[in-house]
């Protein structure tokens, strides 16, 4: 189980516990975190699960796949160096305490 803190578009911080191996998107949407649409259900085909990962910990994450990088071209909000798709990041002990900011818009 990994604790991830999401900063919702409103600025509210919500910390959820996510089963290791589940994606951050799955963990957030199943626990009512606001700010992720996840239209495609996690198949890296919609870019509506866009998030900004804490820049200080970016290097701790497995790098994005080619498919994720391609889909990041389609995010609705500003794309930043720390932009990722939350459906492509799996909860794991190494990510304990990670802070993830959700953009103002996903569509
Ligand atoms: Fe569609 Fe992540 S949920 S790309």
């Amino acid at each position: 189980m990994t604790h991830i803190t999401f900063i919702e578009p409103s600025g509210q911080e919500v910390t959820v516990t996510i089963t290791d191996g589940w994606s951050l998107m799955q963990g957030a949407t199943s626990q009512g975190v606001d700010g992720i649409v996840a239209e495609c259900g996690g198949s890296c085909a919609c870019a509506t699960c866009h998030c900004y990962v804490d820049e200080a910990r970016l290097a701790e994450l497995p790098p994005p796949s080619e498919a994720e990088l391609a889909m990041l071209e389609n995010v609705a909000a500003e794309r930043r160096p720390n932009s990722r798709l939350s459906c492509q990041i799996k909860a794991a002990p190494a990510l304990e305490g990670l802070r993830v900011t959700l953009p103002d818009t996903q569509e």
Side-chain angles (χ1 to χ4, degrees), residues 6-9 14-16 27-36 102:
F6 291 93
I7 296 108
E8 296 179 333
V14 185
T15 299
V16 297
T29 56
S30 67
Q31 295 179 74
V33 174
D34 187 38
I36 297 177
L102 299 173

Side-chain angles (χ1 to χ4, degrees), residues 25 38-49 71 85 87-88:
M25 177 280 280
E39 218 162 62
C40 77
S43 5
C44 198
C46 73
T48 62
C49 63
M71 196 49 61
L85 296 181
C87 75
Q88 299 300 301

Side-chain angles (χ1 to χ4, degrees), residues 4-16 24-25 27-37 50-52 80 98-106:
I4 304 289
T5 296
F6 291 93
I7 296 108
E8 296 179 333
S10 66
Q12 179 165 329
E13 295 193 10
V14 185
T15 299
V16 297
L24 302 195
M25 177 280 280
T29 56
S30 67
Q31 295 179 74
V33 174
D34 187 38
I36 297 177
V37 177
H50 180 205
C51 66
Y52 302 115
R80 300 177 188 162
L98 184 70
R99 293 171 61 80
V100 176
T101 301
L102 299 173
D104 288 340
T105 182
Q106 293 283 10

Side-chain angles (χ1 to χ4, degrees), residues 76-99:
E78 178 193 1
R79 182 180 177 182
R80 300 177 188 162
N82 58 339
S83 284
R84 293 292 305 261
L85 296 181
S86 58
C87 75
Q88 299 300 301
I89 304 171
K90 301 256 187 276
L95 302 187
E96 175 61 30
L98 184 70
R99 293 171 61 80

